[in-house]
Amino acid sequence: MKELVIVGRGGEGVVLASQILADTFACAGAFVQSFPEFKAERRGAPISAFLRWDEREPIRRRYKVRECDVLVDLSPSEPSPEQLASVRPGGLVVLNRETRFRHAAPFEVARVPASAIARRHGILSSEGRPMGNVAVLGACVRLLLPDGLPHLEAAIRARMGARAEANLVGARAGHALCTRQHVLAGDAPLAPPAAANGRPEPGLFPVSLTDSLASRTGSWSLDRPGVRAECTACGVCALFCPEGAIARNGDGISIDDLHCKGCGICVLVCPVRNALALEEVPA
C-alpha cells in the first residue's frame, strides 16, 4: 500500500484533485481510499487531502496519513519543513514550481510549472487565479502510473463535465512538462521543523502550544489590502476587521500582514472610494 498527501490552500482545488486522482487509480484497477482534512473554513487557509492505494488488497486503515510516500503541493509557494518532514525516506515530493527546489533531501523531488500551464490555457478560478491542480495531477500520473494518462483523462471528464476540455489540455501539459530533479553539489540541507515554544510536539496527535498571535496566519493570504493615498484614516475598516489586523494611528491606517488573511471585508466596508484595494500576494 502507498500513501499520498496533497497539500495546498483553500480555493486551489485540493479536494477535487484528490478525488480525480483516486478515480484514476481506481480506473487502473487499484483499491483506493481518499478523504480531505478541513482546517479553518477560509479561502487561502491550509488544507490537506489524503489518498491510499493498493494494487493487491482492500485498504483497512481508517485514519489520516501522518507519514507519506508521496507529498504533492498544489501551491506555488514552497512546502513547510513540517510537511516535508512527513515524507518517508526514499519517497517523492511533487511541486508546483518552475525553478529548482534547491535543497538536498532523503527523498526524490519532481516539479511541474502547473500555475504557468494553467495561466497559459486559461484555467482560472472565479477570481482570475491560475488553477494548477489538474496540471500537477498530470505530473503525478506520469511519475506514479506511467500508463495512466487515459485513466486520468476519463476521471477529469467524469468529474468536471463542461469544464473538462481546458483541464484535459492542462493535464496533458503537466504530464509532458514534469521534471525529475537530481541533487547538485550546491543544494542546501532541509531545515528541520520548528518546535512550538522551543518544545517538540508530544505524542502521535500534535497539540498546538502557541496562541493565535504566535501563529502567523497571514501566510494563508491569497490577497491583502493595500492602503491608498485616498485613505482618510476614518478607522471603519479597523472596526470590522475580524482578525484585529488593522489599527488606526496618528499617521493613518496600518495593517498587520502577519495575521491579515485577506478576507476583503475592510475593502467592502470602507466608505471612501479607492482608499483600500486588494492586492495579490506574491508566491
Side-chain angles (χ1 to χ4, degrees), residues 12 55 205 232 247 249 255:
E12 290 182 330
E55 298 175 354
F205 303 96
T232 63
N249 50 47
I255 299 175

Side-chain angles (χ1 to χ4, degrees), residues 184-272:
L184 301 181
D187 290 344
L190 285 175
N197 288 345
R199 291 176 289 173
E201 296 281 9
L204 288 175
F205 303 96
V207 177
S208 174
L209 300 175
T210 61
D211 59 23
S212 60
L213 292 179
S215 299
R216 297 185 174 184
T217 48
S219 63
W220 302 356
S221 301
L222 299 177
D223 298 288
R224 285 182 189 152
V227 182
R228 304 291 175 81
E230 290 85 349
C231 176
T232 63
C234 67
V236 172
C237 55
L239 290 174
F240 282 87
C241 177
E243 312 300 337
I246 302 178
R248 180 174 128 179
N249 50 47
D251 298 323
I253 294 295
S254 62
I255 299 175
D256 176 9
D257 288 340
L258 294 180
H259 299 93
C260 171
K261 302 180 184 69
C263 65
I265 291 175
C266 56
V267 176
L268 293 175
V269 301
C270 179
V272 181

Side-chain angles (χ1 to χ4, degrees), residues 34-249:
S34 176
F35 55 97
E37 178 185 50
F38 296 101
K39 298 177 183 176
E41 294 282 343
R42 186 188 293 276
R43 179 174 289 272
I47 185 172
S48 305
F50 310 113
L51 189 150
R52 296 183 174 101
W53 76 98
D54 195 313
E55 298 175 354
R56 297 171 297 176
E57 58 186 9
I59 297 166
R60 309 296 183 189
R61 296 183 186 179
R62 293 292 186 271
Y63 51 84
K64 66 181 284 185
V65 177
R66 299 187 184 93
E67 291 186 341
C68 60
D69 301 289
V70 184
L71 176 69
V72 179
D73 191 355
L74 298 188
S75 294
S77 53
E78 193 165 297
S80 69
E82 290 76 17
Q83 291 169 339
L84 293 172
S86 70
V87 183
R88 296 184 178 109
L92 172 67
V93 174
V94 183
L95 302 174
N96 171 10
R97 61 188 294 138
E98 299 180 57
T99 57
R100 287 191 78 255
F101 181 67
R102 297 183 178 278
H103 295 285
F107 46 73
E108 288 191 86
V109 175
R111 68 182 190 273
V112 57
S115 294
I117 290 170
R119 194 176 289 110
R120 186 182 314 129
H121 297 289
I123 308 170
L124 307 174
S125 68
S126 58
E127 300 91 357
R129 296 182 175 281
M131 296 289 290
N133 56 341
V134 177
V136 172
L137 293 186
C140 290
V141 168
R142 175 173 174 175
L143 297 164
L144 303 173
L145 197 65
D147 298 323
L149 186 58
H151 300 309
L152 175 61
E153 292 177 351
I156 292 171
R157 290 190 183 96
R159 287 278 179 179
M160 308 198 75
R163 297 175 295 159
E165 289 307 315
N167 284 279
L168 287 170
V169 174
R172 292 170 189 140
H175 188 276
L177 297 177
C178 173
T179 302
R180 202 183 276 264
Q181 284 193 182
H182 299 285
V183 178
L184 301 181
D187 290 344
L190 285 175
N197 288 345
R199 291 176 289 173
E201 296 281 9
L204 288 175
F205 303 96
V207 177
S208 174
L209 300 175
T210 61
D211 59 23
S212 60
L213 292 179
S215 299
R216 297 185 174 184
T217 48
S219 63
W220 302 356
S221 301
L222 299 177
D223 298 288
R224 285 182 189 152
V227 182
R228 304 291 175 81
E230 290 85 349
C231 176
T232 63
C234 67
V236 172
C237 55
L239 290 174
F240 282 87
C241 177
E243 312 300 337
I246 302 178
R248 180 174 128 179
N249 50 47

